[in-house]
Amino acid sequence: MGGFQTDRSRYPTHSAHVKSARDHVRRVATHWCLPVDVIDDLALMASELATNVVLHVGPSNGQEFGIMLHLSPDSVRLEVRDSGPGKLSVQDPPPGETQGRGLLLVDALADVWGITAHVLGKTVFAEIDLMKSTPVHRKGVTRV
């Protein structure tokens, strides 16, 4: 890990590009020598947030979504920006429901997360504090 670094990428708002976005986040985080648990969490959050864009914004009018990663000595921040309308909220889906858990996962994995509204669209951000990145000290999904 080092000083301050930023990576930006853009993808068509189509389900076929969710994997590309997730894989790109994984490659960048690996290149930055982040801990494996942080890389896994970033990739999962990127996948969930990109899927939200695809499901709720859709591929109309050639829209794209952007993924930004910002590395500082103390944290890594993932941002997913789209140009679609609407507000996001954490859902509480019933057992057996196959959708609606994306922001629950982000909430469990990120140390801080939120939504910034823009004139056109929004940015969902999630930060992981690298100073407490070990699974023992971080909230998140327990790996078995």
Side-chain angles (χ1 to χ4, degrees), residues 54-70:
V54 169
L55 290 174
H56 301 293
V57 174
S60 63
N61 300 322
Q63 293 189 27
E64 294 181 320
F65 65 95
I67 298 226
M68 289 153 281
L69 288 166
H70 305 283

Side-chain angles (χ1 to χ4, degrees), residues 3-51:
F4 296 89
Q5 298 186 55
T6 298
D7 180 84
R8 293 177 174 85
S9 55
R10 297 195 63 76
Y11 302 91
T13 306
H14 189 276
S15 60
H17 297 282
V18 170
K19 182 182 183 316
S20 299
R22 178 182 62 242
D23 291 348
H24 181 78
V25 165
R26 184 175 291 283
R27 276 192 305 277
V28 170
T30 299
H31 177 74
W32 287 349
C33 299
L34 295 176
V36 172
D37 63 308
V38 172
I39 294 169
D40 291 343
D41 290 352
L42 287 170
L44 178 57
M45 290 189 295
S47 183
E48 292 298 329
L49 295 175
T51 297

